[in-house]
Amino acid sequence: MRSILLYIVSWCLFCLNANAQKQVFTEGYLKYSITIGDKTMLKLLEFVAKDKTPSMASFEKAKSILSKEEIDHIQNLTQKNPSIGMSLLILPYFGDDIWIQKDKVLAKAKAFTYSIENYWDQSSGFGKCYLVSNVHPEKNLTYDYDKNYTENNKVQTYIGSDKFEIQRTNEKVTIAGFEAYKTIYTRKSSVTAHNLPYKLEVYESPQMSQAVNFSHPYYTEEENGIVKINAYLSKDAPPLTYELVKAENKNLSPSQMNIHTSKNVFPTKTLLDQATLGFQVLGLMMDTGQQQAENEDEPTTVNNLKKIEKLS
């Protein structure tokens, strides 16, 4: 009799634990990371990430740990896939922390040239974004937005059915304890936009709130929260992997959901508003701290990308 009772208690505890794991993550802390499927490039990024304030000098220091063959490899990789060089500036390689409280999400991420805070309230359909230059903190801006701004948002790349073929699969994996299902987005052959990846492999989980999707580098209209994205920037490029690596259930205070604001506030209501803001955002993202272009005939941003690609 005693063994039967122990079996019943154990089975009940197992069921309770299984059900708890399948509940939607509604409050706590999430950590996402970005890696690249090229060992030499990953070695470079991991070295640069050790600096508290990554800069052009960080890439100069990287030459001390890379062989000539490795430097040549990175040059060839970025020349064949120019979008990788651009991604070094744009994507949050140096950390992406997300706090979620029911339908409210606050993300704080650090890219090579800028830091960002992005707040989204799923229930009200309202968001606020704050960006600041890493090398010139006096350069910062804030803007409010709604879901209609998603397609034109410069801090996210919109992935829609108008430009991508969508393939739902039955593949199921577990990522950081979350059951996730895979969908493949492949850019249509008729689309030539340079800012769009060739292919995305998106993993969404019914255990994750859809609200987190407004914090990711790529936005797709999944019904559930995305826990992993493999991004192929071009057909032959190694994948960039954006993935949930840590999830902590815990109660958050109201102050933990506060976002910084700026005196430079931009509207997003009209197309003119969005165009004006877009130029401001791109200018801030391209601020590498370099004051002079190497070639006066080329824009500074072009030369900065060349410096990153050449590591010299």
Side-chain angles (χ1 to χ4, degrees):
M1 176 65 73
R2 184 179 179 183
S3 61
I4 294 175
L5 288 173
L6 287 174
Y7 174 80
I8 292 173
V9 171
S10 299
W11 177 253
C12 290
L13 289 174
F14 172 80
C15 292
L16 286 171
N17 185 55
N19 288 332
Q21 290 183 353
K22 291 184 179 181
Q23 290 179 353
V24 177
F25 188 93
T26 57
E27 187 163 6
Y29 166 76
L30 303 170
K31 175 72 174 180
Y32 283 78
S33 70
I34 290 184
T35 57
I36 187 169
D38 180 90
K39 291 189 292 186
T40 306
M41 182 66 80
L42 184 60
K43 181 179 178 180
L44 166 68
L45 291 172
E46 287 179 342
F47 179 86
V48 173
K50 292 178 182 178
D51 276 7
K52 292 183 178 179
T53 55
S55 63
M56 293 301 296
S58 304
F59 283 94
E60 288 294 320
K61 294 177 186 176
K63 289 191 294 186
S64 65
I65 65 158
L66 296 176
S67 66
K68 182 181 183 303
E69 290 74 18
E70 288 175 323
I71 292 176
D72 289 343
H73 171 76
I74 291 176
Q75 287 181 6
N76 291 333
L77 180 65
T78 53
Q79 286 171 1
K80 290 179 180 178
N81 305 279
S83 54
I84 290 180
M86 179 63 74
S87 79
L88 289 174
L89 297 180
I90 301 300
L91 296 179
Y93 282 104
F94 309 110
D96 194 355
D97 302 299
I98 297 177
W99 289 264
I100 179 170
Q101 193 174 52
K102 295 183 180 180
D103 286 337
K104 298 178 176 61
V105 175
L106 174 64
K108 295 183 180 182
K110 189 178 184 68
F112 173 66
T113 56
Y114 70 97
S115 297
I116 182 173
E117 295 182 15
N118 188 27
Y119 173 85
W120 175 255
D121 186 333
Q122 183 83 337
S123 57
S124 68
F126 167 84
K128 181 183 289 290
C129 194
Y130 169 81
L131 285 88
V132 58
S133 166
N134 290 340
V135 291
H136 297 117
E138 70 278 5
K139 295 182 180 180
N140 51 68
L141 61 87
T142 299
Y143 63 89
D144 296 337
Y145 67 96
D146 58 24
K147 191 174 181 180
N148 293 328
Y149 182 57
T150 304
E151 292 189 37
N152 295 317
N153 197 337
K154 297 302 180 184
V155 302
Q156 274 189 315
T157 300
Y158 178 78
I159 308 296
S161 58
D162 58 329
K163 293 183 174 64
F164 286 81
E165 301 288 350
I166 303 174
Q167 178 189 353
R168 306 288 179 185
T169 76
N170 294 321
E171 182 178 337
K172 183 174 73 171
V173 298
T174 300
I175 298 169
F178 294 83
E179 290 183 355
Y181 299 85
K182 179 180 177 181
T183 298
I184 301 173
Y185 289 77
T186 305
R187 191 178 65 208
K188 294 179 179 179
S189 58
S190 58
V191 176
T192 58
H194 298 295
N195 66 317
L196 295 177
Y198 167 72
K199 183 174 73 172
L200 289 184
E201 296 169 345
V202 177
Y203 297 81
E204 63 169 324
S205 172
Q207 299 167 247
M208 181 62 68
S209 169
Q210 192 228 27
V212 301
N213 296 350
F214 289 87
S215 304
H216 300 331
Y218 300 96
Y219 180 80
T220 63
E221 295 185 342
E222 307 297 334
E223 293 182 0
N224 302 303
I226 294 171
V227 293
K228 181 178 178 179
I229 300 173
N230 288 326
Y232 298 82
L233 302 185
S234 62
K235 189 173 183 178
D236 301 320
L240 295 170
T241 299
Y242 176 81
E243 183 174 9
L244 176 66
V245 294
K246 185 177 182 180
E248 293 181 0
N249 284 287
K250 60 181 180 180
N251 295 328
L252 302 179
S253 65
S255 62
Q256 288 177 287
M257 300 299 292
N258 288 340
I259 181 173
H260 281 90
T261 57
S262 168
K263 293 181 180 179
N264 303 312
V265 181
F266 291 85
T268 58
K269 292 183 179 180
T270 69
L271 290 177
L272 179 59
D273 291 338
Q274 295 172 15
T276 301
L277 173 61
F279 282 116
Q280 295 292 326
V281 169
L282 290 176
L284 195 149
M285 287 179 168
M286 296 296 179
D287 184 13
T288 61
Q290 302 297 300
Q291 299 301 318
Q292 298 293 330
E294 287 183 339
N295 187 331
E296 296 299 332
D297 294 330
E298 293 182 311
T300 303
T301 53
V302 172
N303 285 292
N304 286 335
L305 286 174
K306 286 183 177 180
K307 289 181 180 179
I308 291 174
E309 293 173 359
K310 293 180 180 179
L311 293 176
S312 62

